[in-house]
Amino acid sequence: MSTGRGPAGRIPVLLYHAVMDDPPGWIAEFTVTPRAFAAQLDVIGASGRTAVTVGALVAHLAGREPLPDRPVVLTFDDGFADLPGPTAEALAGRSLPATAYLTTGALTRPGGGSLLPPAPMMRLEQASLLERHGLEVGGHTVTHAQLDTLSAAALRSELVDSKAALEDVLGHTVAHLAYPHGYNSARVRRAARAAGYASAAAVRHALSSGRDEPYRIARLILRRSHTVRDVERWMAGDGARVAPFPDSPPTVGWRWYRRARAAVRGPGFAG
């Protein structure tokens, strides 16, 4: 079982968005084709790693449950239309569990319920279909706003309302959150805990580990430029730094700039 220490304790948590051949331009950089996705899943399967959900990773971080010796976590943000269909089927066909973080406003009122630009999206009621395919469902806010720029009231609404919408559809507690575009702060992390989430995923462009922070789990974002070789390196525990680590000065500075901009222009799309 994994100890979370040393190279064997480096845990790749992969972040996917859409899996399609012809995505809208705004999400194209973070889209992989079905062919590339299948090749990446095959590499993961051949790597000797065992796929687990975010829930399993968080239980390990809390000291409650061990992990397999070489875990990997697959996550999917937003809820694009491919997810409950061919993407979930590709995962299920390889017996790969995963975690899907859904932006509820984009799935209930397409074009008007969120800040996400237009794109083919799944429907909120399909969340239960994801679970039947072996995906764990988590929250990704209502509107996909930059959480670290919001007022306390707006932040709570994004976290609580999206959680409630998912729980109404699924009939059980939704315990995990992903910050839109990874944007978070100490205040946002406290709010996520207060809203009842047991964990929250960031981005950080880093490998996670057995010492990672449950409320800003490091993930590696898949871009269309990534190759099978990139995935092979991540599966080997290479090719990225290892969390936890403090925010860099540029990250802190960018946060303050976005806060100032939001004070003038209002909430912005996290993307």
Side-chain angles (χ1 to χ4, degrees):
M1 294 296 174
S2 174
T3 64
R5 302 177 187 276
R10 297 175 180 180
I11 304 170
V13 182
L14 305 187
L15 164 53
Y16 286 95
H17 289 86
V19 179
M20 59 181 69
D21 285 310
D22 189 23
W26 68 271
I27 196 62
E29 179 184 357
F30 303 113
T31 298
V32 299
T33 67
R35 181 176 180 178
F37 183 60
Q40 291 166 7
L41 294 185
D42 289 343
V43 164
I44 293 166
S47 70
R49 287 192 176 267
T50 300
V52 299
T53 63
V54 166
L57 173 60
V58 171
H60 176 68
L61 295 178
R64 296 193 303 269
E65 299 288 344
L67 284 173
D69 284 333
R70 303 185 68 237
V72 60
V73 184
L74 306 179
T75 69
F76 297 80
D77 281 11
D78 299 331
F80 290 93
D82 62 273
L83 185 56
T87 297
E89 291 165 6
L91 293 165
R94 294 168 172 82
S95 299
L96 294 172
T99 299
Y101 295 110
L102 305 182
T103 305
T104 56
L107 312 188
T108 53
R109 290 191 293 129
S114 80
L115 297 170
L116 287 173
M121 306 300 291
M122 62 178 279
R123 301 185 308 277
L124 186 61
E125 56 267 28
Q126 290 178 299
S128 58
L129 179 58
L130 296 180
E131 292 190 329
R132 290 199 293 273
H133 278 102
L135 279 81
E136 173 183 62
V137 174
H140 199 43
T141 76
V142 177
T143 72
H144 209 276
Q146 299 179 26
L147 297 183
D148 56 348
T149 69
L150 300 181
S151 69
L155 172 58
R156 175 173 171 75
S157 178
E158 289 281 356
L159 300 177
V160 172
D161 293 354
S162 58
K163 190 174 190 293
L166 290 169
E167 290 174 347
D168 284 347
V169 168
L170 296 172
H172 61 74
T173 298
V174 169
H176 306 291
L177 167 73
Y179 307 118
H181 209 65
Y183 290 147
N184 70 97
S185 64
R187 181 178 69 96
V188 172
R189 295 191 292 274
R190 289 193 298 269
R193 184 190 295 270
Y197 292 100
S199 79
V203 179
R204 315 213 80 190
H205 309 292
L207 293 155
S208 184
S209 75
R211 299 181 297 106
D212 206 355
E213 301 167 84
Y215 287 91
R216 57 171 172 181
I217 295 167
R219 295 190 288 173
L220 295 156
I221 191 168
L222 269 293
R223 289 179 162 85
R224 60 181 173 181
S225 58
H226 282 125
T227 66
V228 162
R229 177 57 184 149
D230 293 315
V231 178
E232 287 175 340
R233 290 176 67 199
W234 293 337
M235 294 306 106
D238 297 325
R241 67 188 303 187
V242 181
F245 49 82
D247 285 338
S248 66
T251 296
V252 175
W254 177 235
R255 182 182 303 138
W256 282 106
Y257 169 77
R258 290 185 293 99
R259 285 177 180 171
R261 184 176 61 185
V264 175
R265 300 181 181 178
F269 163 57

